[in-house]
Amino acid sequence: AVYFLGDYQDDFGDTPDDAEATAKWMRVQIEAGHNLLWGNHDLPYAFLPDRHPCPGYSAEKAAAVARILTPDHWRRLRLWHIIPASPRPWVLSHAGLDRAWFPAEVTDPVAYLTALEQEALDNLYKRGRSHPLLYFCSASRGGRDPFPGVVWMEWGDFRPVAGINQIV
């Protein structure tokens, strides 16, 4: 299996032509069944650009991307991928999961993460609303939230989560 961990768009000096070429590459990967995860630089091109602002985003690049990637393509991206393993599963994500997302009563991190991701993606894909996982950004990244979301974690904010291994 092939996994890509996000931030496909926004090379800061890129053009709409560059964004379109990247979108074509993404489409090939998505249609080949590879596993693409959301990154903070991808969200505004797909859903709610006002709610998911990111440096490097432009309406011109978004229009170029929209000519290639449909909402159905974007809906195949995930927040994380879980690889079962003993004694702890591996969780792949763009920027990592902060332990603040795990209530103390969680005893099965895989079941909890599966339900949490479904809630966040249902909000985005079915209801057209965002979820704090997608936009929480702590002060170390210029945000005002108490802890980071899965696409906005700074390395200095990373705190391991008991019961899972992470690759970010």
Side-chain angles (χ1 to χ4, degrees):
V2 177
Y3 302 93
F4 297 101
L5 304 186
D7 274 3
Y8 315 102
Q9 296 294 334
D10 289 341
D11 193 18
F12 291 99
D14 60 340
T15 66
D17 288 340
D18 296 325
E20 183 175 324
T22 300
K24 287 177 180 175
W25 174 87
M26 289 177 68
R27 184 175 178 145
V28 167
Q29 304 313 312
I30 292 166
E31 291 177 355
H34 296 298
N35 303 283
L36 279 71
L37 303 181
W38 284 108
N40 53 314
H41 286 275
D42 309 310
L43 278 162
Y45 291 93
F47 297 101
L48 308 171
D50 292 341
R51 187 63 179 123
H52 302 126
C54 202
Y57 172 84
S58 76
E60 296 80 17
K61 290 191 292 185
V65 169
R67 287 192 293 272
I68 307 302
L69 296 174
T70 67
D72 287 336
H73 288 108
W74 288 112
R75 284 183 183 95
R76 293 181 54 192
L77 274 68
R78 310 296 304 186
L79 289 176
W80 47 74
H81 182 78
I82 301 170
I83 300 173
S86 182
R88 292 178 305 278
W90 289 90
V91 179
L92 287 67
S93 69
H94 174 65
L97 285 157
D98 187 87
R99 63 179 161 218
W101 291 104
F102 290 79
E105 65 271 10
V106 171
T107 57
D108 182 351
V110 171
Y112 173 75
L113 286 173
T114 300
L116 181 61
E117 181 187 43
Q118 191 64 52
E119 173 191 335
L121 294 180
D122 280 354
N123 270 349
L124 188 63
Y125 300 158
K126 295 179 181 176
R127 297 177 193 94
R129 295 190 312 243
S130 192
H131 186 281
L133 272 170
L134 302 171
Y135 61 82
F136 260 34
C137 183
S138 68
S140 64
R141 290 293 304 254
R144 293 175 282 171
D145 298 305
F147 48 87
V150 71
V151 297
W152 279 102
M153 185 168 322
E154 184 70 30
W155 284 114
D157 287 341
F158 185 81
R159 298 179 300 162
V161 176
I164 65 171
N165 296 312
Q166 295 192 60
I167 297 175
V168 299

